[in-house]
Amino acid sequence: MKSYRIALIPGDGIGRDMTAAAWSVLQKAAKAHGFAFEATEFPWSCAFYKETGAMMPADGIETLRSFDAILLGAVGWPAEVPDSVSLHGLLLPIRKSFVQYANIRPHRLLAGVEGPLKATAFDILCIRENTEGEYSGAGGRIHQGTADEVAVETSIFTRKGVERILRFAFEQARSRRGKLASVTKSNAQKYSMVFWDDVTRQLSAEYPDVEVTSYHIDAMAARMVMAPETLDVVVASNLFGDILTDLGAAIQGGLGFAASANINPERNAPSMFEPVHGSAPDIAHLGIANPIATVWSGAMMLDHLGEKDAANAVMTAIEAVTANGIGTVPGRDRTDTITAALLAAL
């Protein structure tokens, strides 16, 4: 029997319950489709930081390197640990060290879910550059706490980084409906974003079968609300992609349905799968968080591992559950109720 080594990082808050729920669904799907998982759980989190002074051990990256994939719950507890510490101490180092440069986030309405828009027949795949750009971490602060304080944050865009994420997006568009929307703010950011637009135009000649349109970020935000059905694949920089995909989560019914994958397309290091939502400390003890986003992320992991039948089975189960009205309204159904329904649907 084929077996996959999976690193589980439940994280903080609702991340722990969401990971447990998703893992039970994934294990059942694996059993039904003739493969197995070998899971190792790591306690790396804000609680781990408070105990040790680090979000993960010094050898954390090397520890993860041997796994086939990583399933992450949610990390963060801002009342205890600043978000800048938790993000730069765990999530971003994993993405950068394993060259997970393609962040993939699907946005569509599941059966039975009512979104806030009039439009319902949209299916958007957002591709976000995941390792450089505005989240490069280049910069600093001097004269802190004085009237002369200066803060500098430098965005870094390399030809290699921009070209590879655009090629990835072109390939995704080619495999879907043949439409690509590239998002920048080149009217205001005349160096990095004009550079992105230039590379987009250059690559478009290699993909004559893909219809390419360039949008400014503000226009794209409006289009996702007013005409989401006109969009297919959307590609954007790290910051713009981050913001747009929270908007995408909103129009698909909320963060409880928002899945994501941090992909290393070359497959020379593990990829990581996580829900878009945070750790939600305010509801972590209530047992009402929706596990569907984490389960959907798990389905994306199955697909990445090549277990497409199992991935399809999990997605079919999700849609069967939401079509019956379970898990469609935030806070109405308990986590264990939704999980039991997903298991039964499988």
Side-chain angles (χ1 to χ4, degrees):
M1 179 182 293
K2 190 168 188 178
S3 181
Y4 300 96
R5 297 186 67 238
I6 308 298
L8 298 179
I9 308 177
D12 300 296
I14 64 171
R16 304 198 64 80
D17 289 343
M18 300 304 96
T19 304
W23 192 243
S24 65
V25 174
L26 295 175
Q27 283 182 307
K28 185 166 185 177
K31 184 177 180 180
H33 289 84
F35 62 95
F37 287 124
E38 178 187 344
T40 301
E41 184 172 319
F42 296 95
W44 306 338
S45 61
C46 289
F48 185 85
Y49 177 86
K50 292 185 69 176
E51 292 177 6
T52 67
M55 290 297 296
M56 63 178 168
D59 63 351
I61 294 298
E62 290 310 308
T63 300
L64 293 174
R65 192 175 297 277
S66 64
F67 287 87
D68 295 308
I70 303 163
L71 183 64
L72 179 72
V75 176
W77 204 283
E80 302 290 335
V81 177
D83 283 340
S84 58
V85 171
S86 59
L87 181 66
H88 287 272
L90 184 62
L91 186 61
L92 293 188
I94 292 173
R95 288 175 174 173
K96 293 177 182 179
S97 296
F98 295 144
V99 200
Q100 298 169 349
Y101 64 82
N103 183 268
I104 306 173
R105 299 186 178 185
H107 301 297
R108 63 180 177 85
L109 283 176
L110 296 170
V113 177
E114 291 188 10
L117 304 182
K118 294 179 181 179
T120 58
F122 58 87
D123 181 359
I124 305 170
L125 189 68
C126 280
I127 307 297
R128 166 191 171 192
E129 200 291 315
N130 212 31
T131 58
E132 56 175 47
E134 304 90 346
Y135 293 179
S136 297
R141 293 170 63 182
I142 60 173
H143 310 306
Q144 291 189 41
T146 75
D148 298 317
E149 183 167 2
V150 176
V152 176
E153 191 90 29
T154 302
S155 299
I156 297 176
F157 290 86
T158 66
R159 178 167 288 275
K160 178 180 179 180
V162 173
E163 183 170 319
R164 69 187 179 185
I165 194 63
L166 286 170
R167 284 191 183 279
F168 185 86
F170 270 107
E171 293 293 341
Q172 294 296 312
R174 174 175 278 175
S175 69
R176 286 168 51 97
R177 301 192 303 277
K179 296 175 63 178
L180 178 64
S182 178
V183 181
T184 64
K185 188 61 176 170
S186 52
N187 58 340
Q189 295 175 283
K190 63 180 182 178
Y191 300 118
S192 60
M193 296 286 95
V194 170
F195 168 57
W196 181 293
D197 285 347
D198 287 345
V199 178
T200 302
R201 280 191 293 271
Q202 291 163 16
L203 290 181
S204 65
E206 300 180 29
Y207 296 88
D209 53 325
V210 176
E211 177 188 341
V212 186
T213 307
S214 291
Y215 293 91
H216 290 152
I217 178 67
D218 41 356
M220 175 53 68
R223 179 166 288 271
M224 287 182 68
V225 172
M226 300 301 294
E229 71 283 356
T230 65
L231 299 169
D232 181 16
V233 175
V234 175
V235 63
S237 67
N238 215 329
L239 174 63
F240 290 168
D242 194 3
I243 295 169
L244 284 178
T245 50
D246 267 21
L247 177 56
I251 66 174
Q252 73 181 116
L255 288 170
F257 306 108
S260 80
N262 303 278
I263 299 296
N264 173 313
E266 283 69 42
R267 297 176 179 266
N268 52 22
S271 293
M272 179 168 61
F273 303 83
E274 56 168 329
V276 173
H277 63 69
S279 61
D282 57 325
I283 64 167
H285 62 292
L286 300 179
I288 58 171
N290 191 338
I292 286 177
T294 311
V295 175
W296 192 339
S297 301
M300 297 176 76
M301 182 179 77
L302 293 176
D303 185 74
H304 180 73
L305 292 171
E307 299 294 345
K308 297 187 182 299
D309 289 344
N312 291 336
V314 171
M315 290 308 302
T316 299
I318 290 174
E319 297 239 31
V321 167
T322 58
N324 286 328
I326 300 173
T328 58
V329 178
R332 185 182 66 187
D333 299 311
R334 296 191 62 79
T335 303
D336 53 5
T337 301
I338 302 170
T339 306
L342 289 167
L343 292 169
L346 274 176

